Structures are given as structure tokens and as C-alpha cells.
Amino acid sequence: MNVLTILFIISAICGLDSFKTAIVPNEFIVHFRFKYFAPVRESYIAAKLLGSNKTNWKIIPRTNLAWQYPSDFDVLRVLAEDKTAAKHIIERVKSHPSVKAVVPQRSVRRILNYNPYSNYTNIKRNPKGVLRNSNSNNDRHRQLCSVLHANVLWKLGITGEGVKVAIFDTGLTKNHPHFRNVKERTNWTNEKSLDDKVSHGTFVAGVIASSRECLGFAPDADLFIFKVFTNSQVSYTSWFLDAFNYAIYRKINILNLSIGGPDFMDSPFVEKVLELSANNVIMISAAGNDGPLYGTLNNPGDQSDVIGVGGIQFDDKIAKFSSRGMTTWELPLGYGRLGLDIVTYGSQVEGSDVRKGCRRLSGTSVSSPVVAGVAALLISGAYQKIDVINPASLKQVLIEGAEKLPHYNMFEQGAGKLNLLRSMQLLLSYKPKISLIPTFLDSTLNYMWPYSSQPLYYGSSVAIANVTILNGISVTSHIVGTPKWIPDLDHHGQLLQISTQFSPILWPWTGWMAVFTAVKKSGENFEGVCKGSITLVVESFKESANETHLTEVEFPLTIKVTQKPPRNKRILWDQYHSLRYPPRYIPRDDLKVKLDPLDWRADHIHTNFKDMYTHLRNVGYYIDVLREPFTCFNASDYGALLIVDPEKEFADEEINALKEYVYNKGLNVVVFGDWYNTTVMKKIKFFDENTRQWWTPDTGGANIPALNDLLKPFGIAFGDFVGEGHFKLGDHSMYYASGAALIKFPMNPGDILVGTKLNDQGLSIINSKTPNKEAKIDVPIFGMFQTKANSIESDEEIMSNAESNLVEIIPTDYVAIKNRVLLLRKKEQSINFANINNYQTNSEGRIAVYGDSNCLDSTHLEKACYWLLITFLDFAINSHKSSLLQNLNRISEFHKQKRAPLPLRISTKNSKPGSQNNICEKFDWLIATKRNDIVEEKESSILEAVTIDSEENEINVIQKLLDVEITKLSQNNDYFTGSQETDSLRTPIIFMISLSLIVIILFVLFIKRRFIL
């Protein structure tokens, strides 16, 4: 978990029992650029403050083991009560050249990532929530070491001996009977006891190194227990930073971190993790328990220098809780990495209980120590190669040895299921190298989703693959020159155009390369597969030998290409107006959700809108992603622009461009908004100790004022009523989760405006004493409109600007229309809109708007409305109207009501900008190169490591013995199949054989008896 997360406590709307962080009043982390001893650090701070006659401050002493070593931070307490004086102190400290940053000290309370209701114990204690199953098959599965064949390595004397494993958790009870090699227990909390009162730390340690009952993988590993959470599961930023520094001083080999959080922009924590990796500490971390939603990987497990671990069940199915999807660091303008590296068993796994006995737990915090224990075995089995074992090389052997699970894509399983013995074989024969994740891109394979879900075509948005570069040779390296594109002329590679971007420095051990792929004009009518390869040359630096090494790495591409689809099958998804990451405070779209109140996830069709994307693809639409302003795309190529939950402002140029596209190029627009109410936003504000000021949300669920500016030329606007409730549209059950209502909409022949009765959720938040059973309010929630320029532009009533008025709630005195005829159970009919309305022209587009995006967003989806999206698209693109929606039309009724004013922006700092620098994407396409033009690899002595003959012989002996054991397992059909199918069939087969024998015996006895008689 990133302990500097900005997940603030918002008492007005939530009570986070599972994850709470709070700013510690008047305490700050002073982050230095380098490590210094305590007197030096204090002198730097004093030089800035005492010289300015500032005495109302103190450095908080940290009485832990790291205090005697140089450190790169101090905890500063500001004693000034005056906000201005406190701010001045912070600014003075920041101005010192040796100070990198000053950030607030935060406390963290985390209910650690496991399910407390799925445990059992072997001692006499009642099971909690789950009945213990004594089935022998179940017992075998809980003995995870046997399932992964750790006993094969134990027989070879490989038990983790000599490997230092650090466990950052809730501590470990002294003299626990399961552990025989606890080297050190350290306490980084403010509690006196080092014992574990939570049991989570003990369980994690047991999975790694228990030597009794529930066996761990590496019983002889040297355990270093870091208690970083109190018995109340509270921690502080400074505790983690000190503990990380101490782990570096102790030369830890493996660090298990079974915790995680969404805040990948927590720079002090992320930078410290990078420092650990640079010092050859191999960190293994849980991917998170936020599945099955995509885009939910936790940090630090999603960092390329960390081994991120997901969870599977014992039937080799991905556990529902396991986080998955691409990293979201790069959104919305780029594309995420493959942050999940590997999966292993994490459901109902057996481990040590707090004092004695065993228990079962589930979660990726269980999967993480499984990999940590396996890593300890691997290192101890190849200890002769310790000089070439590092975070990159160990990740390489783990992912190369993994088994791909059928029916799951790479963003669900990473490289696949952990295979201990295969990885052991790979490490024993390992030579330092550079590899890529993924190793190739093949859009013909389902494993490569989402690249396999939609073929490329001429004119489509470029496909982006964000490739991780793993350098097992050296901690620092760089790419030489420019990568080269080698098209396979025998497989139509010349039809592709390729561009790349890459990190200038690969450190520590890793870097990235973005690959952009598009189809040339010459491939406009091509249907088939195009192939080629990208090659890059990496120069590695070996400081100890003062040498460099050039390595050429190849990235093969297999791209499925189709003919350019017609305009009415193409949709453009607006990604550009989603926030990359909450810069400060963006509230959740669904205000009812209490446990996850902030909108951490960057919206994308391959993360939280994945189900919507799949639905659109299944009905034949092609979806392109817009990562640039509206001024940068060709509107004539697309049937509809899909705008869902926008958060950024729209520039004047974009507003004018969209107006031009709709009126003159026939572009259709479908909009799904969300809630916005300034009073509600002010109600959920918080005080930030860092800036010493109150912070109010930058926007609501969506930026409604910006959206209203965009829709203003069409006479459409949303209000600030926050509605919530269940309702029905014909036979379709619907749920409005914190949505907005329409307050302006055109009234032309054939236009549709539909409403329903909703709870006033905004009022219930503003006034907590509001009765729960307040009368529902009848409001318009969606409309469908055929644009007509002359009628809209001349309608002064619709176009009137009410932004100077005060914000009001939409009127509540609507009268329900009587004698409405609804075709509830009749088959929907499609009516050609052009045949009914004479005003339609071929050059003018159509617009459909809905006030709530939660029915498309899988984050907290209660009732999906994909059918409504398809209905909107059918209307917008094909000019078809559903008979159901026609019969729900209440446009005349709603137009008789008093209009509410437009909602205001919450403050001047968020006011709409007049203009933006609308820079469109430009790519430097690589020139096609023949393979013989590639620079040959230059060898050096870096990789020619001299191995002592005795060590080489020992490795060879272990390899041969391991090969013999694996051969035995493969002959038993146990190793390669994972024994799951064999186990599931063994019991019924034995039963059938036994039953057959009984029948035969009875038959023989019966015949014999008849014969004797």
C-alpha cells in the first residue's frame, strides 16, 4: 500500500473501515536528495529556520534501528498555530538545496488484503464463517508446497538456506513453534510489543518459511520480521521509509509486501521502492483484491521493478478477487503496461496461525508470500549464481517458467501460473540477458486481449503496446539510437507503419518502450495478417567491471488487419477529456458508495468500461480511442462520438469544431453525464494540512458546466439535481446512481424527452436530517434530438445564458402525466425517423443524452444499460427510433415546467479556459529496414563470467537430479497437468472400480451358491 495516498477521510459521505488514511496535523516529511546522518540533516533544516528567527518547530526523534544509519528524511513538527506562519516554515525548508520535497506525514489504517471469514485452525477453535472440510482432496490442496512440488527441491537439499527474506507486516510472535530461523524481529511502530496480535504477519511468514504442520516453501530461509503495522493495523509514512532503509542496510535478498493501494503517484514511496530495487532487493507484492474489475492493480505491485502477484483458485481459475488489467499510470493519453507479472494459488491457502496451529486465508496477500517462498527456494538452489540474481533476472525466470492458463488473457494472468520446477531449471542455466514483457504481440491470440478483440484497419486510431524492458545484465542501461522496423514481406508487413517511444534511461533494471501501430493507405482493402519485427539495441553498464555490453532485442508483431469498415459501424470514444489521475480530489461517480469514495481509476474502454466495450464489439461496432482534442479527428470517418463522464474542460476551438462536425458533417453525438452540485461538493470538502487550506472537489461525478458549454449550440443542458433510484423503461429494470437531470432540451417534431421519479440524493447529503422517505421528484433524464441549425440558433429561450444566476435545484412540482400508454411487453419496433420528420437533412447529425454513466461503468455497476446505449446509437447513426422510447416521450409535459438555471462552476480557479493549445498527435514512423542492415551484437567480457569448476559441477549435478525428478512427475501426468484433473477423477474412478469388484464378487458367490444347490 502506498502510505502517502491522498485518500482523505470524508466524514460527510463515508466511513472507510477497510482503508483509511489521514493527514497527521502539523507533521511533515522532509525528503532530502541524499542520505545524511542525523546531525547533518538537522543542521540543514536549522540553517533555513533559525536564520529566519523561526523557533516554533522540532524534529521528531525516531528511536528505531535505522536511526544510527544515514537517512534521506526527517519528520518535522510545526508548532505554529497560525496558518501563515506554518506555511512560511514549510516554504523555508523547501528552499534548501539539499531538500527534495516536503510532504505531509500520513497515518494509514488498513484492513489487510485477506478474507477474515475464510479461515480455520487445526487447534480446538471454532471455525469463523466457513465450515472446515476434512475431505482428503481438499487437505491435499491446502498443502500448497506439495501442489507446487517444493518437496522435489527439498529432497535435493534446497530449503532456502542462506537467503534473507524480509516480511513487512504485523509482526511475529516470539518463539513461534513453526519457525526455526528467525534472524531478527524489528518494530517500526509506536507499540512496545513485537508480537503479532492480528495474525496476518504470522500467516505470511508461515507460507514462506514454516517448518511444521502447514509447511512453508523455504523453512531454512533467514527471516527478518519488520513490524510496520500496529495491532490496530495502523502505520505511518515514516515507519515504512525507515524500515525500507534498514532493509537496504541489512542486504535483504527478498522483501514480501502483502499490501497495496491505488496511489501510484505517491512519489516518496515509489522512489523508495526504486531505491530498494537498485540495491538488489527483490520486492514481491500483492496485485490487489479489487477484481474482477479491470484497471485495479495496486501499487507497488504494478511497478515494473517489482514482481506483482495475482491469485488463482485450486481449480486453476483466476480468483474473482484478484486485481487485473493494465496499469493506469499512462492514461488517458497513452496505454497501460502489463503490470501483473504472475499468478499463483491464493484462495483457501493454509498457513501458520498466530501462536500455533494452522488456518486458511484467501487474497493476493496470500499469493504474494507463495511467490516469495518460491523465490527463496530458487535463490538457495542456485546460490552459486547469486552474482547474476537480481530483480530483473528473477522476474525473467519466474515469468518464462510460468504456465499460461487457458481462457484468460494476459491482463488477467500475467505470464501465467507459477511453476516452481520449471523456473528452477531456468535459473540453473541462466545467463544474464535482456527480455521484453510481453515477449511479442500477436493479435490473433485470445491471450493478447484487447489487441485480439478488434482488428486494425486503415484510418483507425493507432494501437499502442506498452512494452516493459527487463535488463538482467545491469541496473543501468539505455537504448542506443532508434529501434528498427523490419517488415516481413512474405506476410504483408509492408502494409504496417510503426513508431516507437522509449525511456531515455533503463533504471533500476527496467525501462519501457511504447509501440504505435497503424495501417497504411495501401492496406485499406486488405483482409488478413501482417507480420514484422522491431529490434532495439540496449547498452548495459557494469560499474564493477567498468565495461559496457550491447544487446539486440527483438519484438515480433503479428497484426490482424481488416478492410476499412463503413462509417455507420465506427464509434469514437472520447478518452481525451478524462483525467489522467485525480490531481487533488475527484469524488466517486456513485455517491452511495461509502468504501471507495474517490474516483481513483482513469476511465478507459479496456478498464472500467470493458464490459461496455465488449458489448459494442459483439454487436458489430468498431471503437476507436480519441487521445487528442476534438480539432484533431476527421468527423466524416465516424458514425458517432461517444462522450461518457467527461471531467476536463472543453476548449473554445473544440466546441466550435463539434458544432461544425454535427451541423455540416453529419457527426452524431451520444453523451452519458453524471452528477454535479456545488452545494454537495462543498459539503464534502476537507482541510489539507500540506497547503493549509480547505479543498473542495474539482468537479462532481462529471464536469457538467463544461459539458453544458459543449452542448450549448444544440440547446441542451444538464442541471444540478442529483437523482437516485430504481425505475423501469418498459421491461428493462434501470437504476439511476447519482445522476443529473436535463433542464434544457429542444422541442422539435419527433424529438424525445423521457423522465422518471427519483430520490433527491443531493438534498439527503446536504441535509443529513432529511427523512429517508421523502417524495420522489419527477425529472427528465434522457433525450434524443435531430439537430436543425436554423431552429436552434434562433431559439433565444433555449440559448439564454443563466450562468449569472444562483444555483437552484430543479423544480419539484412536476405533475405526472395521466393515462400514459406504455408498450411494456410488446416487441420493440424501429421506425425510420427520416420518413416521419420532413425537417431532417442528410448533413445534420443527431444527439442523444443521458444523465448517468454508472450504468455503463463496471466499477459499481448495479443495473447495466447497454441496451439503451445500443438504442441511442441506432437512433443517432441509423436514424431509427425505438417504439418503446416513443411511447415514453413526455417532451410536451416537461417543456411546460419552469426552467432551472444552469449550474455554476464551483470556483473561479476552475473556470472554463478560453483557449487551449490543441496539439494533435504526430508520429515519427520508422523507415522499413532489412534484417541484414541491423548492427551486429558486440560482445564483451561482462557475460563471460568465470565459474569455479566445483560450482559448475554442483550446478550440473542439481540440474541432472532435477531433470530426473521432473521426468518422473511428467510420466505420472502430474507435473504438466497440475494434477487437478487427475485429482478430480481419482475418487469416482476408485469408486467405480470398487463397485465393479463388489458386483463381480456377489455375482460369483451367487453362481457358486446356485451351483452347490
Side-chain angles (χ1 to χ4, degrees):
M1 174 191 52
N2 290 9
V3 293
L4 284 180
T5 177
I6 60 168
L7 182 56
F8 302 96
I9 297 177
I10 309 163
S11 59
I13 62 172
C14 64
L16 299 183
D17 293 331
S18 61
F19 190 100
K20 287 183 179 179
T21 69
I23 296 173
V24 179
N26 300 318
E27 287 189 12
F28 298 87
I29 301 292
V30 180
H31 192 189
F32 294 93
R33 298 185 184 278
F34 303 99
K35 291 182 178 178
Y36 308 99
F37 283 102
V40 177
R41 300 196 307 269
E42 185 174 356
S43 68
Y44 288 161
I45 296 175
K48 283 295 179 180
L49 297 181
L50 295 180
S52 302
N53 296 321
K54 302 293 183 182
T55 59
N56 47 355
W57 58 274
K58 65 177 293 188
I59 296 175
I60 299 177
R62 309 195 305 278
T63 54
N64 54 50
L65 292 176
W67 186 248
Q68 58 186 311
Y69 299 99
S71 178
D72 54 0
F73 78 97
D74 266 319
V75 180
L76 177 69
R77 176 173 291 165
V78 177
L79 305 177
E81 296 183 0
D82 179 64
K83 296 180 180 179
T84 303
K87 184 177 181 181
H88 184 65
I89 289 175
I90 299 305
E91 292 300 324
R92 289 290 301 169
V93 174
K94 283 182 179 179
S95 66
H96 194 285
S98 296
V99 173
K100 185 175 184 179
V102 180
V103 297
Q105 163 86 309
R106 285 183 169 88
S107 65
V108 180
R109 184 177 187 274
R110 176 73 183 228
I111 302 300
L112 296 163
N113 286 336
Y114 68 95
N115 183 356
Y117 299 104
S118 60
N119 56 19
Y120 84 101
T121 176
N122 282 342
I123 60 177
K124 294 182 180 179
R125 189 179 300 172
N126 294 327
K128 298 179 180 179
V130 176
L131 294 175
R132 180 181 176 186
N133 189 341
S134 60
N135 180 287
S136 60
N137 189 46
N138 243 19
D139 288 340
R140 182 187 183 282
H141 283 171
R142 289 197 301 269
Q143 293 295 335
L144 186 54
C145 294
S146 297
V147 176
L148 292 177
H149 309 295
N151 54 312
V152 173
L153 298 185
W154 295 343
K155 287 194 296 184
L156 300 179
I158 301 172
T159 58
E161 184 177 0
V163 181
K164 297 179 179 180
V165 181
I167 300 171
F168 278 55
D169 220 290
T170 58
L172 178 68
T173 303
K174 186 178 181 179
N175 298 324
H176 193 291
H178 285 184
F179 305 99
R180 60 190 182 209
N181 207 10
V182 178
K183 290 296 184 181
E184 186 177 37
R185 295 188 308 147
T186 54
N187 184 5
W188 306 88
T189 73
N190 55 12
E191 293 180 337
K192 295 182 179 180
S193 173
L194 290 113
D195 291 349
D196 179 16
K197 300 293 179 62
V198 181
S199 83
H200 190 270
T202 303
F203 182 91
V204 169
V207 173
I208 295 173
S210 172
S211 61
R212 295 179 56 184
E213 297 182 272
C214 37
L215 299 178
F217 285 90
D220 288 324
D222 297 338
L223 291 187
F224 291 78
I225 307 300
F226 289 72
K227 184 175 181 178
V228 291
F229 276 88
T230 67
N231 296 327
S232 300
Q233 301 184 34
V234 173
S235 187
Y236 286 82
T237 297
S238 56
W239 297 353
F240 266 90
L241 298 181
D242 268 337
F244 283 150
N245 280 336
Y246 188 68
I248 294 174
Y249 300 140
R250 294 294 281 161
K251 300 187 183 301
I252 294 297
N253 299 120
I254 299 168
L255 193 156
N256 182 81
L257 198 61
S258 287
I259 49 180
D263 188 5
F264 56 77
M265 290 186 71
D266 175 8
S267 57
F269 190 93
V270 170
E271 290 175 8
K272 187 58 65 177
V273 171
L274 293 172
E275 184 183 344
L276 284 163
S277 298
N279 282 274
N280 223 27
V281 178
I282 300 169
M283 179 177 284
I284 300 169
S285 185
N289 293 343
D290 299 313
L293 184 66
Y294 275 62
T296 55
L297 296 180
N298 281 201
N299 181 267
D302 62 348
Q303 292 184 215
S304 58
D305 59 311
V306 175
I307 299 173
V309 187
I312 61 174
Q313 303 171 164
F314 279 104
D315 58 2
D316 285 352
K317 293 181 180 178
I318 301 292
K320 185 177 180 180
F321 56 74
S322 185
S323 292
R324 62 203 71 188
M326 62 180 169
T327 60
T328 56
W329 300 43
E330 300 80 5
L331 298 180
L333 303 184
Y335 199 81
R337 293 171 288 104
L338 187 58
L340 176 63
D341 295 305
I342 199 167
V343 293
T344 191
Y345 302 107
S347 181
Q348 297 295 291
V349 170
E350 188 178 68
S352 301
D353 206 350
V354 65
R355 296 197 179 277
K356 60 180 179 178
C358 303
R359 64 187 314 205
R360 278 186 291 163
L361 296 178
S362 297
T364 56
S365 65
V366 175
S367 304
S368 179
V370 171
V371 176
V374 164
L377 273 186
L378 294 176
I379 294 175
S380 67
Y383 207 80
Q384 301 82 357
K385 291 179 169 285
I386 191 65
D387 290 339
V388 298
I389 296 176
N390 53 60
S393 62
L394 190 68
K395 181 183 282 195
Q396 286 172 336
V397 299
L398 285 173
I399 64 178
E400 290 172 20
E403 302 174 64
K404 285 187 174 58
L405 299 174
H407 314 303
Y408 294 103
N409 66 60
M410 60 182 179
F411 287 116
E412 293 173 312
Q413 63 171 308
K417 182 179 72 170
L418 173 69
N419 188 310
L420 169 58
L421 299 187
R422 285 181 180 174
S423 293
M424 186 75 260
Q425 287 178 307
L426 290 168
L427 186 57
L428 288 170
S429 60
Y430 179 81
K431 292 184 178 180
K433 62 181 180 180
I434 298 174
S435 61
L436 305 175
I437 303 175
T439 55
F440 61 92
L441 182 61
D442 187 344
S443 62
T444 66
L445 301 177
N446 290 333
Y447 170 75
M448 289 288 181
W449 186 96
Y451 304 100
S452 61
S453 65
Q454 178 173 294
L456 282 183
Y457 50 87
Y458 171 68
S460 67
S461 57
V462 297
I464 305 177
N466 198 336
V467 182
T468 297
I469 305 170
L470 284 180
N471 187 348
I473 300 174
S474 66
V475 65
T476 304
S477 57
H478 75 276
I479 295 176
V480 178
T482 302
K484 301 187 184 305
W485 163 236
I486 309 172
D488 185 342
L489 301 182
D490 294 330
H491 293 91
H492 313 287
Q494 69 276 12
L495 300 180
L496 299 178
Q497 48 187 0
I498 304 296
S499 181
T500 60
Q501 295 176 6
F502 49 86
S503 51
I505 298 294
L506 280 61
W507 180 91
W509 310 104
T510 67
W512 57 267
M513 177 179 67
V515 177
F516 304 88
T517 307
V519 178
K520 293 180 178 179
K521 172 68 174 176
S522 55
E524 183 174 7
N525 298 315
F526 177 75
E527 186 90 26
V529 174
C530 301
K531 295 184 179 182
S533 294
I534 298 171
T535 62
L536 59 149
V537 176
V538 178
E539 183 177 27
S540 302
F541 307 94
K542 195 73 171 180
E543 294 181 3
S544 59
N546 194 26
E547 296 174 337
T548 63
H549 179 76
L550 295 181
T551 306
E552 183 181 280
V553 189
E554 184 173 354
F555 185 64
L557 293 174
T558 301
I559 305 298
K560 189 165 51 178
V561 176
T562 191
Q563 297 180 15
K564 184 177 181 179
R567 182 183 187 184
N568 65 349
K569 288 296 182 182
R570 296 184 63 182
I571 299 171
L572 185 62
W573 166 271
D574 177 23
Q575 184 69 32
Y576 181 76
H577 294 97
S578 293
L579 286 175
R580 173 182 181 266
Y581 178 88
R584 298 193 307 177
Y585 178 19
I586 305 298
R588 172 63 64 193
D589 295 337
D590 186 353
L591 289 172
K592 187 180 67 173
V593 176
K594 305 299 183 184
L595 294 179
D596 192 11
L598 297 191
D599 196 356
W600 289 102
R601 316 297 176 186
D603 296 337
H604 197 277
I605 57 173
H606 297 154
T607 56
N608 54 321
F609 288 98
K610 172 183 177 291
D611 293 339
M612 179 208 72
Y613 166 78
T614 302
H615 195 85
L616 291 174
R617 286 293 299 130
N618 288 340
V619 297
Y621 287 110
Y622 291 82
I623 301 94
D624 283 356
V625 176
L626 180 67
R627 294 179 292 269
E628 50 193 343
F630 286 172
T631 54
C632 298
F633 72 92
N634 185 358
S636 301
D637 285 340
Y638 297 97
L641 172 66
L642 184 55
I643 304 173
V644 179
D645 188 20
E647 295 148 337
K648 290 172 62 177
E649 294 287 342
F650 298 92
D652 291 338
E653 297 92 336
E654 293 183 286
I655 295 172
N656 293 331
L658 186 65
K659 179 181 175 182
E660 169 70 16
Y661 296 159
V662 173
Y663 285 137
N664 297 325
K665 295 188 177 182
L667 179 67
N668 307 292
V669 182
V670 175
V671 176
F672 280 74
D674 222 295
W675 74 271
Y676 185 96
N677 183 287
T678 55
T679 308
V680 172
M681 292 157 67
K682 292 175 182 177
K683 183 72 175 179
I684 58 178
K685 65 181 180 180
F686 63 87
F687 184 74
D688 178 42
E689 288 286 346
N690 189 23
T691 59
R692 311 295 301 177
Q693 63 183 359
W694 285 95
W695 277 14
T696 303
D698 284 356
T699 183
N703 191 340
I704 292 299
L707 192 55
N708 284 345
D709 287 340
L710 184 70
L711 297 175
K712 182 179 178 180
F714 313 109
I716 299 172
F718 290 100
D720 64 359
F721 173 79
V722 183
E724 179 273 335
H726 293 269
F727 62 99
K728 297 202 73 172
L729 293 176
D731 287 332
H732 300 281
S733 296
M734 304 287 289
Y735 178 65
Y736 217 66
S738 306
L742 287 164
I743 59 172
K744 287 187 178 182
F745 198 78
M747 187 176 179
N748 294 316
D751 291 347
I752 292 176
L753 190 60
V754 176
T756 191
K757 291 184 177 181
L758 298 172
N759 300 313
D760 190 341
Q761 189 179 33
L763 183 61
S764 66
I765 292 174
I766 295 169
N767 184 6
S768 58
K769 297 181 180 179
T770 302
N772 293 330
K773 295 186 178 181
E774 281 283 312
K776 293 185 176 182
I777 301 171
D778 202 2
V779 292
I781 58 173
F782 72 81
M784 300 160 65
F785 161 57
Q786 166 65 57
T787 62
K788 190 176 181 183
N790 56 3
S791 65
I792 295 300
E793 295 294 346
S794 62
D795 192 337
E796 294 298 330
E797 180 186 8
I798 291 176
M799 293 296 295
S800 62
N801 187 352
E803 289 209 5
S804 60
N805 298 330
L806 294 176
V807 177
E808 298 178 3
I809 301 296
I810 195 166
T812 61
D813 56 348
Y814 291 116
V815 179
I817 188 170
K818 298 181 179 180
N819 301 323
R820 275 194 298 150
V821 179
L822 302 180
L823 300 180
L824 295 180
R825 288 177 170 80
K826 292 186 178 181
K827 184 178 181 180
E828 294 185 12
Q829 301 175 355
S830 294
I831 301 175
N832 191 294
F833 191 62
N835 294 334
I836 297 177
N837 303 285
N838 296 324
Y839 64 85
Q840 181 188 355
T841 65
N842 292 329
S843 63
E844 295 171 342
R846 287 166 287 274
I847 298 176
V849 293
Y850 188 70
D852 182 27
S853 65
N854 286 284
C855 59
L856 300 179
D857 187 341
S858 299
T859 305
H860 296 290
L861 185 65
E862 190 162 332
K863 296 285 184 181
C865 65
Y866 306 133
W867 72 271
L868 185 62
L869 173 60
I870 299 300
T871 302
F872 282 175
L873 290 171
D874 195 29
F875 160 75
I877 297 174
N878 302 317
S879 71
H880 289 167
K881 286 195 301 181
S882 163
S883 59
L884 169 64
L885 301 189
Q886 289 185 81
N887 284 279
L888 293 172
N889 190 6
R890 299 165 60 193
I891 191 167
S892 299
E893 173 191 352
F894 285 123
H895 266 275
K896 294 178 182 178
Q897 308 304 320
K898 180 182 176 182
R899 296 188 187 279
L902 297 177
L904 300 175
R905 285 176 172 82
I906 193 149
S907 68
T908 55
K909 65 181 174 64
N910 292 325
S911 60
K912 176 183 167 312
S915 179
Q916 293 179 353
N917 294 324
N918 292 332
I919 301 176
C920 302
E921 287 183 324
K922 292 182 180 179
F923 299 99
D924 295 324
W925 302 111
L926 300 178
I927 299 174
T929 308
K930 294 181 180 179
R931 189 168 295 276
N932 57 10
D933 293 338
I934 302 301
V935 178
E936 293 186 1
E937 184 174 339
K938 297 180 180 180
E939 296 289 346
S940 76
S941 60
I942 288 182
L943 304 185
E944 298 171 0
V946 177
T947 305
I948 300 175
D949 290 341
S950 60
E951 292 181 349
E952 186 69 33
N953 291 335
E954 185 177 349
I955 291 175
N956 291 334
V957 170
I958 295 175
Q959 282 181 313
K960 290 178 181 179
L961 292 174
L962 183 59
D963 291 341
V964 170
E965 294 295 333
I966 291 177
T967 301
K968 292 179 182 178
L969 289 174
S970 63
Q971 290 173 348
N972 293 332
N973 196 33
D974 186 39
Y975 174 64
F976 290 106
T977 64
S979 77
Q980 186 59 38
E981 294 182 2
T982 304
D983 286 347
S984 61
L985 292 174
R986 183 178 295 130
T987 300
I989 290 174
I990 294 174
F991 174 76
M992 292 300 296
I993 293 174
S994 301
L995 183 61
S996 299
L997 289 174
I998 293 172
V999 171
I1000 293 172
I1001 293 171
L1002 290 176
F1003 179 75
V1004 170
L1005 290 176
F1006 174 76
I1007 295 298
K1008 184 176 181 181
R1009 185 169 178 271
R1010 290 293 300 271
F1011 181 77
I1012 293 174
L1013 292 176

